[in-house]
Amino acid sequence: MAMTYSEKVRDHFANPRNVGTIEDANGVGEVGNAVCGDIMKMYLKIENGVIEDVKFNTFGCGAAIATSSMATEMIKGKTIEEAEQLTNKAVVEALDGLPPVKIHCSVLAEEAVHAALEDYRKRLAAQQQ
Amino acid sequence: MQVYADQAATTKISERALQAMMPCYTDIFGNPSSLHEVGRAAEEAVEKARKSIASAIGAEAGEVYFTSGGSEADNWAITMAAQLGAKKGKKHLISSAFEHHAVLHTLDKLKKEGFEVTLLPVHEDGLVRPEELEAAIREDTALVTIMFVNNEVGTIQPIEKLGEICRQKGVLFHTDAVQAAGHLPIDVKEMKIDMLSMAGHKFHGPKGVGALFVRKGIAMSNLISGGGQEKGKRAGTENVPAIVGMAEALRESLENREEKNAAVLKMRKRLTEAVLQIPKSRLNGDPDQRIAGNMNFCFEGIEGESLLLYLDLQGICASSGSACTSGSLEPSHVLLALGVPVEIAHGSLRISLDESNTEEEVDYILQTLPGVVKRLREMSPMWEHIQKGEV
C-alpha cells in the first residue's frame, strides 16, 4: 500500500521552509544517524532570548524533510522558553497528521530543536564563565 | 511531461490485450464449467490461453495452472514442494538471500513448521553461484527456489545451470520468473525447471492474474478446495478476461523480443553512463548480466524516498528499495544482500524501462535527475559529512 501524505506534508517537502545553514549560528544541534536513514541538523540565531533566525538541513525521507521544515516555522520568532515547549505531537498536528510509521520523524524534529537549544545554553554558559 | 520508469513494478495494459479481454466481459461471459454453449465458449477461451502460455515457455497446456498472480504462484509452488518433501522426510529448502517476499515469507512460515532453510549468498554482482548451490544441496533437500530475474537489481540468474544441478541431484527446482516472463526466452524443458511462477501485469497484461507451471508427474497438492477448476487443484470460477488478456499480452511481448530488448538496452546504457557521472553514485548489481530495462542506483548522502518524491514532483515515476515505504527502518534486503552498506542502501533508486519508453523520456530523466540529487544533497547533513571526509 502506498503511503499517503497530507497536503501540508506534501507542501512542506516540496517547498521546505528555512532550508540551509546559518554562518553565525549560536545554537546548532544534530540528531539521528545515517544507518537509520535520518539525520537532522538545526541552526539557531538567538538574540535577546528570541529565535531571530532558524535554518535546517535534513537527510531523510519526505516526512523527515516536512517535519524539520514545519518545526522551524513553529519556533521562528519565538522565545527560547516557547521553543522549548515544542513537541513532536504539535508538529504532527500542524502537518495535519503523519502516517504511523513516520511519527519517528516528528520525534527527530523535536529532538533537533531541543539539541540546538541545548547547544545555545552550553555556549552561553561557557561565555559567562 | 510524465515519464513512467517503473515498469518492474507494473506495466500499462497493452491495447491488444485489452481488446482480447473485452469480449470476455460481453459475449463470452459464460462460466467455463457450464455445459451449455455459452459456457463452452468461455472454456474454449481459457484453454486457448492456457495452450498459448504453455507454448511460450516450452511447456504443455496441462502443466499450466492459473492463479491470482505471482505471489500466489510462489506460495503454492513452495508449500506444495515442501509438503511433498516432508512426506519423504525431506525438510530442507534452499533459496537465495534476495528473493521476493512472496518467497521469503513463505519460507519463514515453513521454518516455523519445522523446515530448515538455506539462503544462498548473491554476492556483490547479485548473482547466485551454481557451485554454491551444488554444495548446499543435501540428502534431505526438498526444494530449490531461485528467482529468474531479481526484481530490484534486475540480475539474471544462471537458471539453466541451476536447473541442471537440481535435476542431477533429484531435487525439485522452482523459479519465480515474474520479472523474466515476457522479457526473456524461457524454455522449462531445456532449463530443467520443475515449477515456474509468472504474473500477467509485468508484461502489459492485466493485474490479478498469474500462472504456475508445474511439470507433469509432480504430485500437486490442492490450493483452494471447491469445484473442479484447474483440475480440482485451485477451485473457483476462472477469471476468464484476465486469463485471456495475460495470454495475449505474453504473446505480444515475445514478438520481436530481441529487437525490443536491443532498443531498451540502448536506452539503459545511455542512461546508466550519464547517471554514473554524478559524483558518489553507483550501479547496484552486475552491469551486464541484468534484464534490459533495469537500473538500480545509489546516491550517497541522500535518502531514497525523498528522491522519489522529488522526481515524482517533476513527473518521473520510479521506485526505490527504500525502507521508508515498507514502514521499517531497514533499507532494501536486496541491496543489503549485495553487501551495499546500510547508510548507502538508503539512497537507492530503481529505474525500470521497457519498449514502451522512449529516448525522449531518457533525455528528460537525464535533464531532471542530476538536479534533484544536487538539491537533496545541498540540504543533507549526511552529504556535508561525506564532503568533509567525516564518514
Side-chain angles (χ1 to χ4, degrees), chain A residues 3-125:
Chain A
M3 253 181 335
T4 43
Y5 284 133
S6 71
E7 273 309 309
K8 272 202 184 147
V9 174
R10 293 184 67 83
D11 177 38
H12 272 266
F13 76 62
N15 312 293
R17 281 61 146 178
N18 307 308
V19 177
T21 59
I22 300 173
E23 284 288 311
D24 57 345
N26 50 12
V28 179
E30 183 177 315
V31 295
N33 68 73
V35 173
C36 291
D38 301 288
I39 302 176
M40 285 183 197
K41 195 167 182 179
M42 210 56 88
Y43 298 82
L44 302 177
K45 178 74 189 166
I46 299 175
E47 276 168 50
N48 304 318
V50 174
I51 298 169
E52 293 295 337
D53 197 10
V54 50
K55 291 264 193 276
F56 82 91
N57 269 344
T58 288
F59 159 77
C61 63
I65 293 171
T67 51
S68 336
S69 166
M70 181 54 91
T72 59
E73 275 209 324
M74 290 171 82
I75 62 166
K76 196 170 182 175
K78 297 282 164 63
T79 64
I80 295 171
E81 291 70 28
E82 285 167 331
E84 273 171 343
Q85 303 300 313
L86 181 83
T87 63
N88 81 296
K89 205 166 159 256
V91 175
V92 173
E93 276 167 17
L95 286 168
D96 292 339
L98 276 180
V101 297
K102 298 295 187 184
I103 295 294
H104 73 275
C105 294
S106 66
V107 174
L108 216 56
E110 177 195 316
E111 287 173 1
V113 169
H114 290 165
L117 288 170
E118 182 60 28
D119 180 56
Y120 170 74
R121 259 186 243 102
K122 272 187 192 156
R123 290 189 197 201
L124 202 65

Side-chain angles (χ1 to χ4, degrees), chain B residues 116-131:
Chain B
E116 203 183 319
V117 176
T118 300
L119 296 181
L120 298 174
V122 294
H123 306 270
E124 202 185 333
D125 54 14
L127 295 167
V128 168
R129 303 291 189 266
E131 60 274 21

Side-chain angles (χ1 to χ4, degrees), chain A residues 1 3 5 10 12-16 19-21 30 34-41 43 56-63 65 101-102 104, chain B residues 300-303 305-307 309-310 312-313 323-329 331 342-343 346-347 375-376 378-385 388:
Chain A
M1 286 283 278
M3 253 181 335
Y5 284 133
R10 293 184 67 83
H12 272 266
F13 76 62
N15 312 293
V19 177
T21 59
E30 183 177 315
V35 173
C36 291
D38 301 288
I39 302 176
M40 285 183 197
K41 195 167 182 179
Y43 298 82
F56 82 91
N57 269 344
T58 288
F59 159 77
C61 63
I65 293 171
V101 297
K102 298 295 187 184
H104 73 275
Chain B
E300 289 184 38
I302 62 177
E303 195 277 339
E305 192 207 82
S306 47
L307 177 58
L309 294 169
Y310 274 52
D312 186 36
L313 288 168
C324 279
T325 43
S326 70
S328 106
L329 291 178
V342 182
E343 60 275 22
H346 278 295
R375 185 177 174 203
L376 281 165
E378 276 167 3
M379 66 162 92
S380 164
M382 172 80 181
W383 183 242
E384 187 190 326
H385 292 316
K388 288 180 181 164

Side-chain angles (χ1 to χ4, degrees), chain B residues 20 55 71 220 237 240 276 286 294 319 322 346 349 366 373 389:
Chain B
S55 80
S71 292
M220 291 183 68
T237 301
V240 182
L276 290 179
D286 193 277
N294 173 288
S319 75
S322 166
H346 278 295
L349 172 73
L366 285 176
V373 170

Side-chain angles (χ1 to χ4, degrees), chain B residues 74 77-78 81 93-97 99-100 102-104 106-107 110 117-120 128 133 141-148 159 162 166 171-177 195 197:
Chain B
D74 285 342
I78 294 166
L93 310 164
I94 299 175
S95 189
S96 81
E99 296 292 314
H100 191 275
V103 168
L104 289 179
T106 305
L107 293 172
L110 288 164
V117 176
T118 300
L119 296 181
L120 298 174
V128 168
L133 169 64
T141 304
L143 170 77
V144 171
T145 172
I146 307 280
M147 67 204 318
F148 207 120
I159 290 300
L162 303 179
C166 292
V171 179
L172 284 180
F173 178 49
H174 165 255
T175 184
D176 170 350
M195 294 185 279
S197 310

